[in-house]
Amino acid sequence: MKIGIFGGTFNPPHLGHLAAAEAAIGALGLDKLYIVPASIPPHKELPEGTPAPEHRLAMAAKLADALLLPQVVQLSEMELKREGKSYTADTLAALREEYPEAELWLLMGTDMFLTLHRWREPEKILKLAGVCAFGRTEQDGEAVFAPQREYLQRTCPGARITTIPLPGLVDISSTRLRELLARGEGGDYLIPAVYGYILRNQLYSTHADLKRLAIPELRACSYSMVMQKRVRHIRGTEEEAVRLAQRWGADPDQARRAGILHDCTKYLELEEQLALCERYGVELDELERRAVKLLHSKTGACIARHVFGEPDEVYNAIFWHTTAKENMTTLEKILYVADYMEPNRTFEGVERLRELAYSDLDKALLLGVETTIQEMKDRSLPVHQSTLRAQAWLREHGVTTEG
Protein backbone atom coordinates (compact mmCIF):
# COMPACT_ATOMS: atom_id res chain seq x y z
CA MET A 1 0.00 0.00 0.00
CA LYS A 2 1.24 3.49 -0.88
CA ILE A 3 0.20 6.24 1.50
CA GLY A 4 0.69 9.97 0.97
CA ILE A 5 0.86 12.49 3.82
CA PHE A 6 -0.05 16.05 2.90
CA GLY A 7 0.46 18.32 5.90
CA GLY A 8 0.32 22.05 6.42
CA THR A 9 -1.57 24.78 8.18
CA PHE A 10 -4.07 25.01 5.28
CA ASN A 11 -4.63 28.63 6.22
CA PRO A 12 -6.62 28.54 3.97
CA PRO A 13 -6.46 25.55 1.58
CA HIS A 14 -6.49 26.79 -2.01
CA LEU A 15 -6.45 25.57 -5.61
CA GLY A 16 -2.70 25.00 -5.45
CA HIS A 17 -3.19 22.47 -2.66
CA LEU A 18 -5.90 20.78 -4.72
CA ALA A 19 -3.69 20.52 -7.82
CA ALA A 20 -0.78 19.18 -5.80
CA ALA A 21 -2.89 16.49 -4.16
CA GLU A 22 -4.39 15.41 -7.49
CA ALA A 23 -0.95 15.23 -9.08
CA ALA A 24 0.55 13.22 -6.24
CA ILE A 25 -2.25 10.66 -6.24
CA GLY A 26 -1.73 10.04 -9.95
CA ALA A 27 2.07 10.25 -10.17
CA LEU A 28 2.78 8.13 -7.10
CA GLY A 29 -0.15 5.74 -7.52
CA LEU A 30 -1.31 6.41 -3.97
CA ASP A 31 -3.79 4.03 -2.39
CA LYS A 32 -4.48 6.52 0.39
CA LEU A 33 -3.80 10.20 0.96
CA TYR A 34 -4.01 11.74 4.40
CA ILE A 35 -4.58 15.50 4.60
CA VAL A 36 -3.14 16.53 7.96
CA PRO A 37 -3.77 20.07 9.24
CA ALA A 38 -1.05 21.18 11.67
CA SER A 39 -1.93 22.43 15.13
CA ILE A 40 1.14 24.55 15.91
CA PRO A 41 3.64 24.54 13.03
CA PRO A 42 7.23 24.29 14.32
CA HIS A 43 8.78 26.43 11.58
CA LYS A 44 6.64 29.56 11.88
CA GLU A 45 4.14 31.34 14.07
CA LEU A 46 0.51 31.25 13.02
CA PRO A 47 -0.37 34.79 11.92
CA GLU A 48 -2.75 36.97 13.86
CA GLY A 49 -6.33 36.31 12.84
CA THR A 50 -5.74 32.65 12.02
CA PRO A 51 -9.06 30.81 12.33
CA ALA A 52 -9.59 28.43 15.21
CA PRO A 53 -8.44 24.83 14.63
CA GLU A 54 -11.98 23.64 14.05
CA HIS A 55 -12.32 26.09 11.15
CA ARG A 56 -9.04 25.04 9.56
CA LEU A 57 -10.09 21.42 9.98
CA ALA A 58 -13.44 22.12 8.33
CA MET A 59 -11.75 23.88 5.39
CA ALA A 60 -9.27 21.02 5.01
CA ALA A 61 -12.22 18.64 4.97
CA LYS A 62 -13.61 20.56 2.00
CA LEU A 63 -10.25 20.22 0.25
CA ALA A 64 -10.42 16.46 0.81
CA ASP A 65 -14.02 16.29 -0.38
CA ALA A 66 -13.22 18.31 -3.52
CA LEU A 67 -10.94 15.51 -4.73
CA LEU A 68 -14.00 13.23 -5.08
CA LEU A 69 -12.03 10.15 -3.98
CA PRO A 70 -13.57 9.25 -0.61
CA GLN A 71 -11.96 5.79 -0.56
CA VAL A 72 -8.51 7.32 -1.11
CA VAL A 73 -8.46 10.77 0.46
CA GLN A 74 -9.00 11.06 4.20
CA LEU A 75 -8.73 13.89 6.70
CA SER A 76 -6.57 13.28 9.76
CA GLU A 77 -6.88 15.14 13.06
CA MET A 78 -3.78 13.53 14.57
CA GLU A 79 -1.74 16.74 14.70
CA LEU A 80 -4.63 18.89 15.89
CA LYS A 81 -5.23 16.44 18.74
CA ARG A 82 -1.56 16.16 19.66
CA GLU A 83 -0.37 18.57 22.33
CA GLY A 84 2.39 20.99 21.47
CA LYS A 85 3.99 21.63 18.10
CA SER A 86 3.20 19.47 15.07
CA TYR A 87 6.43 17.66 14.23
CA THR A 88 6.39 15.69 10.99
CA ALA A 89 8.69 12.99 12.41
CA ASP A 90 6.09 12.21 15.09
CA THR A 91 3.29 12.05 12.52
CA LEU A 92 5.24 9.68 10.28
CA ALA A 93 6.18 7.49 13.23
CA ALA A 94 2.52 7.18 14.21
CA LEU A 95 1.55 6.23 10.66
CA ARG A 96 4.41 3.74 10.41
CA GLU A 97 3.13 2.07 13.56
CA GLU A 98 -0.38 1.91 12.10
CA TYR A 99 0.81 0.78 8.65
CA PRO A 100 4.07 -1.15 9.22
CA GLU A 101 4.23 -2.53 5.67
CA ALA A 102 3.11 0.58 3.79
CA GLU A 103 5.22 2.76 1.53
CA LEU A 104 4.89 6.27 2.94
CA TRP A 105 5.31 9.45 0.89
CA LEU A 106 5.56 12.91 2.43
CA LEU A 107 4.23 15.64 0.12
CA MET A 108 5.54 19.19 0.28
CA GLY A 109 6.03 22.39 -1.67
CA THR A 110 9.26 24.04 -2.75
CA ASP A 111 9.95 26.10 0.37
CA MET A 112 9.41 23.15 2.68
CA PHE A 113 11.65 20.89 0.61
CA LEU A 114 14.50 23.40 0.51
CA THR A 115 14.48 23.71 4.31
CA LEU A 116 13.91 20.03 5.12
CA HIS A 117 17.44 19.59 6.47
CA ARG A 118 16.62 22.10 9.21
CA TRP A 119 13.51 20.30 10.40
CA ARG A 120 13.45 18.28 13.59
CA GLU A 121 14.95 14.81 12.96
CA PRO A 122 15.29 15.05 9.16
CA GLU A 123 17.14 11.71 9.02
CA LYS A 124 14.22 10.01 10.76
CA ILE A 125 11.78 11.63 8.32
CA LEU A 126 13.76 10.38 5.33
CA LYS A 127 14.00 6.86 6.74
CA LEU A 128 10.28 6.68 7.44
CA ALA A 129 9.01 8.13 4.16
CA GLY A 130 9.90 9.13 0.67
CA VAL A 131 9.64 12.82 -0.14
CA CYS A 132 7.61 14.16 -3.05
CA ALA A 133 8.14 17.84 -3.78
CA PHE A 134 6.11 19.97 -6.18
CA GLY A 135 7.62 22.27 -8.82
CA ARG A 136 5.86 24.77 -11.06
CA THR A 137 7.68 23.66 -14.21
CA GLU A 138 9.95 20.74 -14.97
CA GLN A 139 12.95 22.98 -15.72
CA ASP A 140 12.57 25.26 -12.74
CA GLY A 141 11.87 22.31 -10.51
CA GLU A 142 15.06 20.46 -11.45
CA ALA A 143 17.22 23.55 -11.20
CA VAL A 144 15.90 24.34 -7.75
CA PHE A 145 15.53 20.83 -6.38
CA ALA A 146 18.67 19.06 -7.64
CA PRO A 147 21.19 20.53 -5.14
CA GLN A 148 18.92 19.87 -2.16
CA ARG A 149 18.09 16.35 -3.37
CA GLU A 150 21.78 15.52 -3.74
CA TYR A 151 22.56 16.92 -0.30
CA LEU A 152 19.80 14.95 1.40
CA GLN A 153 20.77 11.73 -0.34
CA ARG A 154 24.40 12.20 0.75
CA THR A 155 23.44 12.79 4.37
CA CYS A 156 20.81 10.05 4.40
CA PRO A 157 21.80 7.29 1.95
CA GLY A 158 18.81 5.49 0.48
CA ALA A 159 16.49 8.47 0.82
CA ARG A 160 13.65 8.36 -1.70
CA ILE A 161 13.10 11.77 -3.25
CA THR A 162 11.04 12.66 -6.29
CA THR A 163 9.67 15.85 -7.76
CA ILE A 164 6.41 16.43 -9.62
CA PRO A 165 6.21 19.33 -12.09
CA LEU A 166 2.94 21.21 -11.94
CA PRO A 167 2.86 23.58 -14.94
CA GLY A 168 0.30 26.30 -14.47
CA LEU A 169 0.11 25.73 -10.73
CA VAL A 170 -1.87 28.40 -8.89
CA ASP A 171 1.01 30.50 -7.61
CA ILE A 172 -0.05 32.44 -4.54
CA SER A 173 1.21 32.44 -1.00
CA SER A 174 -1.20 31.95 1.85
CA THR A 175 -0.09 35.31 3.23
CA ARG A 176 -1.01 37.07 0.00
CA LEU A 177 -4.30 35.19 -0.23
CA ARG A 178 -5.29 36.23 3.27
CA GLU A 179 -4.55 39.85 2.36
CA LEU A 180 -6.76 39.59 -0.71
CA LEU A 181 -9.60 38.04 1.27
CA ALA A 182 -9.51 40.87 3.78
CA ARG A 183 -10.01 43.26 0.83
CA GLY A 184 -12.96 41.32 -0.51
CA GLU A 185 -10.92 39.63 -3.23
CA GLY A 186 -9.13 36.30 -3.71
CA GLY A 187 -12.10 34.01 -4.27
CA ASP A 188 -10.73 32.88 -7.63
CA TYR A 189 -7.79 31.19 -5.87
CA LEU A 190 -10.04 29.05 -3.69
CA ILE A 191 -12.11 25.93 -4.00
CA PRO A 192 -15.68 27.35 -4.08
CA ALA A 193 -16.75 25.37 -1.02
CA VAL A 194 -13.79 26.76 0.95
CA TYR A 195 -14.56 30.31 -0.20
CA GLY A 196 -18.18 29.90 0.81
CA TYR A 197 -17.18 28.57 4.21
CA ILE A 198 -14.93 31.60 4.72
CA LEU A 199 -17.72 34.00 3.76
CA ARG A 200 -20.33 32.32 5.93
CA ASN A 201 -18.05 32.34 8.96
CA GLN A 202 -16.46 35.75 8.26
CA LEU A 203 -12.92 34.38 8.44
CA TYR A 204 -9.82 36.35 7.41
CA SER A 205 -11.54 39.68 8.07
CA THR A 206 -14.20 39.05 5.45
CA HIS A 207 -17.46 40.83 6.15
CA ALA A 208 -19.74 39.81 3.32
CA ASP A 209 -23.41 40.72 3.72
CA LEU A 210 -24.92 37.26 3.26
CA LYS A 211 -28.28 38.81 2.43
CA ARG A 212 -26.86 40.70 -0.54
CA LEU A 213 -24.54 38.22 -2.20
CA ALA A 214 -23.76 38.24 -5.89
CA ILE A 215 -24.39 34.96 -7.70
CA PRO A 216 -20.78 33.60 -7.55
CA GLU A 217 -20.63 34.18 -3.79
CA LEU A 218 -24.09 32.69 -3.29
CA ARG A 219 -22.99 29.59 -5.20
CA ALA A 220 -19.87 29.31 -3.07
CA CYS A 221 -21.90 29.51 0.13
CA SER A 222 -24.32 26.87 -1.12
CA TYR A 223 -21.51 24.55 -2.18
CA SER A 224 -19.85 24.97 1.22
CA MET A 225 -22.92 23.42 2.85
CA VAL A 226 -23.05 20.21 0.80
CA MET A 227 -20.82 17.37 -0.34
CA GLN A 228 -18.87 17.99 -3.54
CA LYS A 229 -20.65 15.10 -5.28
CA ARG A 230 -23.93 17.07 -5.09
CA VAL A 231 -22.55 20.20 -6.74
CA ARG A 232 -23.13 18.87 -10.28
CA HIS A 233 -26.80 18.34 -9.48
CA ILE A 234 -27.15 21.77 -7.90
CA ARG A 235 -25.51 23.46 -10.87
CA GLY A 236 -27.62 21.41 -13.27
CA THR A 237 -30.80 22.38 -11.44
CA GLU A 238 -29.78 26.04 -11.42
CA GLU A 239 -29.19 26.19 -15.16
CA GLU A 240 -32.30 24.15 -15.99
CA ALA A 241 -34.42 26.40 -13.79
CA VAL A 242 -33.13 29.48 -15.61
CA ARG A 243 -33.92 27.96 -19.00
CA LEU A 244 -37.43 27.03 -17.86
CA ALA A 245 -37.97 30.50 -16.39
CA GLN A 246 -37.06 32.05 -19.73
CA ARG A 247 -39.43 29.65 -21.50
CA TRP A 248 -42.40 30.20 -19.18
CA GLY A 249 -42.05 33.86 -18.23
CA ALA A 250 -40.82 33.56 -14.65
CA ASP A 251 -38.03 35.66 -13.13
CA PRO A 252 -34.72 34.06 -14.25
CA ASP A 253 -32.78 35.56 -11.34
CA GLN A 254 -35.20 34.14 -8.78
CA ALA A 255 -35.10 30.79 -10.59
CA ARG A 256 -31.29 30.84 -10.48
CA ARG A 257 -31.16 31.67 -6.78
CA ALA A 258 -33.75 29.02 -5.95
CA GLY A 259 -31.74 26.45 -7.91
CA ILE A 260 -28.51 27.41 -6.17
CA LEU A 261 -29.98 27.08 -2.68
CA HIS A 262 -32.57 24.33 -3.08
CA ASP A 263 -30.40 21.56 -1.59
CA CYS A 264 -28.27 23.60 0.82
CA THR A 265 -29.44 21.62 3.89
CA LYS A 266 -29.52 18.24 2.14
CA TYR A 267 -26.87 16.67 4.37
CA LEU A 268 -28.22 17.67 7.78
CA GLU A 269 -29.27 14.83 10.08
CA LEU A 270 -32.85 14.45 11.27
CA GLU A 271 -32.24 16.14 14.63
CA GLU A 272 -30.62 19.13 12.93
CA GLN A 273 -33.48 19.38 10.44
CA LEU A 274 -36.08 19.23 13.19
CA ALA A 275 -34.22 21.88 15.20
CA LEU A 276 -34.22 24.27 12.24
CA CYS A 277 -37.93 23.69 11.65
CA GLU A 278 -38.63 24.51 15.29
CA ARG A 279 -36.37 27.56 15.17
CA TYR A 280 -38.13 29.02 12.15
CA GLY A 281 -41.66 27.98 13.09
CA VAL A 282 -42.23 25.35 10.39
CA GLU A 283 -45.14 23.09 11.34
CA LEU A 284 -44.58 19.41 10.54
CA ASP A 285 -46.92 16.47 10.23
CA GLU A 286 -46.22 13.01 11.63
CA LEU A 287 -44.61 11.71 8.44
CA GLU A 288 -42.28 14.69 8.14
CA ARG A 289 -41.08 14.27 11.72
CA ARG A 290 -39.62 10.88 10.88
CA ALA A 291 -38.77 11.16 7.18
CA VAL A 292 -35.58 13.21 6.92
CA LYS A 293 -35.75 13.32 3.10
CA LEU A 294 -38.87 15.47 3.33
CA LEU A 295 -37.25 18.14 5.48
CA HIS A 296 -34.40 19.63 3.47
CA SER A 297 -36.81 21.51 1.23
CA LYS A 298 -38.35 23.20 4.26
CA THR A 299 -35.13 23.95 6.09
CA GLY A 300 -33.42 24.99 2.85
CA ALA A 301 -36.21 27.48 2.27
CA CYS A 302 -35.72 28.87 5.78
CA ILE A 303 -31.98 29.28 5.25
CA ALA A 304 -32.65 30.96 1.89
CA ARG A 305 -34.98 33.48 3.56
CA HIS A 306 -33.37 34.10 6.96
CA VAL A 307 -29.67 33.69 6.17
CA PHE A 308 -29.45 34.75 2.53
CA GLY A 309 -32.33 37.22 2.42
CA GLU A 310 -34.22 35.64 -0.48
CA PRO A 311 -37.80 36.80 -1.17
CA ASP A 312 -40.99 34.83 -0.60
CA GLU A 313 -41.06 33.60 -4.21
CA VAL A 314 -37.69 31.86 -3.80
CA TYR A 315 -38.61 30.64 -0.31
CA ASN A 316 -41.82 29.01 -1.55
CA ALA A 317 -40.19 27.43 -4.59
CA ILE A 318 -37.57 25.75 -2.41
CA PHE A 319 -40.14 24.84 0.27
CA TRP A 320 -42.25 22.82 -2.19
CA HIS A 321 -39.58 21.40 -4.49
CA THR A 322 -39.67 17.94 -2.88
CA THR A 323 -43.37 17.24 -2.28
CA ALA A 324 -45.08 19.71 -4.62
CA LYS A 325 -48.55 20.94 -3.64
CA GLU A 326 -51.84 22.01 -5.13
CA ASN A 327 -52.10 25.24 -7.17
CA MET A 328 -48.37 25.93 -7.50
CA THR A 329 -46.96 29.17 -8.88
CA THR A 330 -44.95 29.11 -12.09
CA LEU A 331 -41.65 29.45 -10.22
CA GLU A 332 -42.60 26.64 -7.84
CA LYS A 333 -43.42 24.38 -10.79
CA ILE A 334 -40.17 25.32 -12.51
CA LEU A 335 -37.93 24.41 -9.57
CA TYR A 336 -39.79 21.15 -8.95
CA VAL A 337 -39.43 20.10 -12.59
CA ALA A 338 -35.86 21.38 -12.97
CA ASP A 339 -34.77 19.43 -9.91
CA TYR A 340 -36.41 16.32 -11.35
CA MET A 341 -34.99 16.42 -14.88
CA GLU A 342 -31.75 18.42 -14.81
CA PRO A 343 -29.10 17.08 -17.23
CA ASN A 344 -27.44 14.74 -14.73
CA ARG A 345 -30.62 12.73 -14.10
CA THR A 346 -30.67 9.35 -15.87
CA PHE A 347 -33.81 7.48 -14.72
CA GLU A 348 -36.21 5.76 -17.09
CA GLY A 349 -38.74 8.27 -18.44
CA VAL A 350 -36.62 11.38 -17.87
CA GLU A 351 -36.52 12.19 -21.61
CA ARG A 352 -40.31 12.32 -21.73
CA LEU A 353 -40.26 14.65 -18.73
CA ARG A 354 -37.73 16.89 -20.48
CA GLU A 355 -39.90 17.11 -23.57
CA LEU A 356 -42.98 18.05 -21.56
CA ALA A 357 -41.05 20.62 -19.51
CA TYR A 358 -40.72 22.86 -22.56
CA SER A 359 -44.06 22.10 -24.21
CA ASP A 360 -46.51 21.87 -21.27
CA LEU A 361 -45.20 22.70 -17.79
CA ASP A 362 -48.31 21.39 -16.01
CA LYS A 363 -48.05 18.03 -17.76
CA ALA A 364 -44.37 17.85 -16.79
CA LEU A 365 -45.27 18.64 -13.19
CA LEU A 366 -47.95 15.94 -13.14
CA LEU A 367 -45.57 13.38 -14.64
CA GLY A 368 -43.02 14.17 -11.96
CA VAL A 369 -45.61 13.91 -9.21
CA GLU A 370 -47.02 10.63 -10.50
CA THR A 371 -43.56 9.17 -11.01
CA THR A 372 -42.80 9.96 -7.36
CA ILE A 373 -46.06 8.41 -6.19
CA GLN A 374 -45.41 5.23 -8.13
CA GLU A 375 -41.82 5.00 -6.89
CA MET A 376 -42.93 5.36 -3.27
CA LYS A 377 -45.60 2.69 -3.73
CA ASP A 378 -43.07 0.34 -5.36
CA ARG A 379 -40.83 0.78 -2.32
CA SER A 380 -43.75 0.34 0.10
CA LEU A 381 -43.18 3.84 1.48
CA PRO A 382 -45.86 6.36 2.42
CA VAL A 383 -46.63 9.17 -0.02
CA HIS A 384 -46.81 12.64 1.47
CA GLN A 385 -50.27 14.19 1.51
CA SER A 386 -49.02 17.31 -0.31
CA THR A 387 -47.89 15.17 -3.23
CA LEU A 388 -51.28 13.46 -3.39
CA ARG A 389 -53.04 16.83 -3.26
CA ALA A 390 -50.84 18.11 -6.08
CA GLN A 391 -51.85 15.15 -8.22
CA ALA A 392 -55.54 15.58 -7.42
CA TRP A 393 -55.49 19.34 -8.13
CA LEU A 394 -53.80 18.88 -11.50
CA ARG A 395 -56.22 16.12 -12.50
CA GLU A 396 -59.21 18.19 -11.40
CA HIS A 397 -58.00 21.01 -13.63
CA GLY A 398 -57.86 18.79 -16.69
CA VAL A 399 -54.13 18.06 -16.74
CA THR A 400 -53.08 14.65 -18.02
CA THR A 401 -49.78 13.15 -19.10
CA GLU A 402 -51.29 11.74 -22.28
CA GLY A 403 -50.58 13.04 -25.74
Side-chain angles (χ1 to χ4, degrees):
M1 175 184 286
K2 291 185 178 182
I3 300 176
I5 302 94
F6 194 8
T9 56
F10 298 110
N11 189 27
H14 53 69
L15 292 175
H17 294 122
L18 182 67
E22 289 175 332
I25 291 169
L28 298 173
L30 297 178
D31 300 294
K32 192 177 293 292
L33 173 64
Y34 280 109
I35 293 177
V36 190
S39 176
I40 304 175
H43 56 284
K44 61 182 178 182
E45 295 291 329
L46 288 171
E48 184 178 352
T50 292
E54 57 266 27
H55 285 310
R56 288 194 292 115
L57 182 68
M59 289 188 287
K62 300 200 177 298
L63 168 63
D65 184 46
L67 290 160
L68 288 172
L69 292 168
Q71 302 305 314
V72 175
V73 183
Q74 296 184 19
L75 184 67
S76 172
E77 301 180 48
M78 66 171 69
E79 291 191 359
L80 289 175
K81 290 182 176 179
R82 187 187 305 147
E83 293 184 2
K85 293 185 175 181
S86 300
Y87 290 108
T88 299
D90 296 338
T91 298
L92 292 176
L95 287 169
R96 171 59 65 211
E97 185 174 349
E98 184 175 356
Y99 299 101
E101 303 299 323
E103 180 182 313
L104 303 182
W105 283 94
L106 180 63
L107 315 183
M108 62 183 67
T110 303
D111 293 344
M112 294 296 98
F113 179 68
L114 296 179
T115 60
L116 180 57
H117 58 287
R118 296 202 296 268
W119 292 18
R120 183 188 184 191
E121 300 182 285
E123 296 85 2
K124 181 178 179 180
I125 290 173
L126 291 168
K127 287 179 180 178
L128 288 170
V131 171
C132 176
F134 307 111
R136 281 184 285 278
T137 70
E138 189 171 355
Q139 292 76 20
D140 292 345
E142 183 59 22
V144 171
F145 292 136
Q148 175 72 338
R149 181 173 61 244
E150 292 169 4
Y151 172 79
L152 293 173
Q153 289 177 331
R154 283 199 310 271
T155 57
C156 188
R160 292 176 291 122
I161 299 173
T162 189
T163 59
I164 298 178
L166 295 174
L169 178 68
V170 174
D171 184 16
I172 188 169
S173 70
S174 295
T175 300
R176 176 60 176 158
L177 180 51
R178 291 191 294 270
E179 292 173 352
L180 290 173
L181 288 168
R183 290 175 9 205
E185 304 172 17
D188 290 345
Y189 293 101
L190 293 166
I191 301 161
V194 171
Y195 186 39
Y197 185 90
I198 290 169
L199 294 178
R200 289 195 299 115
N201 291 281
Q202 297 191 329
L203 305 181
Y204 305 112
S205 300
T206 58
H207 299 287
D209 183 351
L210 297 184
K211 293 188 176 182
R212 297 179 182 274
L213 292 177
I215 291 298
E217 286 71 29
L218 187 67
R219 278 197 199 102
C221 287
S222 172
Y223 297 170
S224 75
M225 300 171 71
V226 301
M227 301 293 287
Q228 181 66 27
K229 64 183 180 181
R230 180 146 292 266
V231 168
R232 287 183 65 213
H233 165 71
I234 292 174
R235 191 60 188 264
T237 301
E238 173 197 341
E239 298 302 334
E240 198 67 64
V242 171
R243 287 191 289 269
L244 287 170
Q246 292 168 338
R247 170 66 179 86
W248 297 110
D251 185 323
D253 183 66
Q254 290 183 351
R256 185 178 297 282
R257 289 174 175 271
I260 289 170
L261 293 172
H262 81 284
D263 271 357
C264 67
T265 58
K266 183 75 173 181
Y267 290 97
L268 297 183
E269 300 293 337
L270 179 61
E271 288 186 5
E272 297 172 294
Q273 300 277 10
L274 292 174
L276 281 175
C277 288
E278 182 175 359
R279 177 180 178 180
Y280 293 116
V282 177
E283 295 184 4
L284 302 174
D285 58 34
E286 182 179 348
L287 177 57
E288 289 166 338
R289 289 191 172 279
R290 52 188 172 84
V292 67
K293 290 185 177 181
L294 294 177
L295 297 181
H296 78 278
S297 56
K298 294 172 170 53
T299 55
C302 292
I303 295 301
R305 170 185 279 170
H306 297 284
V307 175
F308 296 110
E310 297 299 332
D312 288 347
E313 293 85 352
V314 172
Y315 171 91
N316 288 323
I318 296 174
F319 195 95
W320 297 110
H321 87 266
T322 297
T323 62
K325 71 177 184 72
E326 71 277 14
N327 196 21
M328 297 173 77
T329 67
T330 300
L331 184 62
E332 290 164 2
K333 295 173 186 177
I334 282 170
L335 185 62
Y336 182 93
V337 172
D339 176 51
Y340 222 122
M341 45 71 80
E342 56 91 10
N344 299 294
R345 299 289 200 189
T346 58
F347 60 88
E348 183 179 353
V350 69
E351 292 302 330
R352 172 63 174 158
L353 183 56
R354 288 174 179 144
E355 292 173 5
L356 288 176
Y358 288 90
S359 61
D360 191 318
L361 187 58
D362 283 340
K363 285 187 176 183
L365 175 62
L366 180 59
L367 180 58
V369 165
E370 293 190 336
T371 300
T372 294
I373 291 171
Q374 188 59 51
E375 179 185 359
M376 299 301 282
K377 290 180 177 179
D378 291 345
R379 296 166 61 189
S380 300
L381 294 173
V383 180
H384 193 267
Q385 56 183 342
S386 293
T387 307
L388 295 172
R389 285 198 292 263
Q391 180 193 37
W393 191 92
L394 289 164
R395 290 289 189 183
E396 289 168 4
H397 285 75
V399 180
T400 71
T401 56
E402 300 172 1

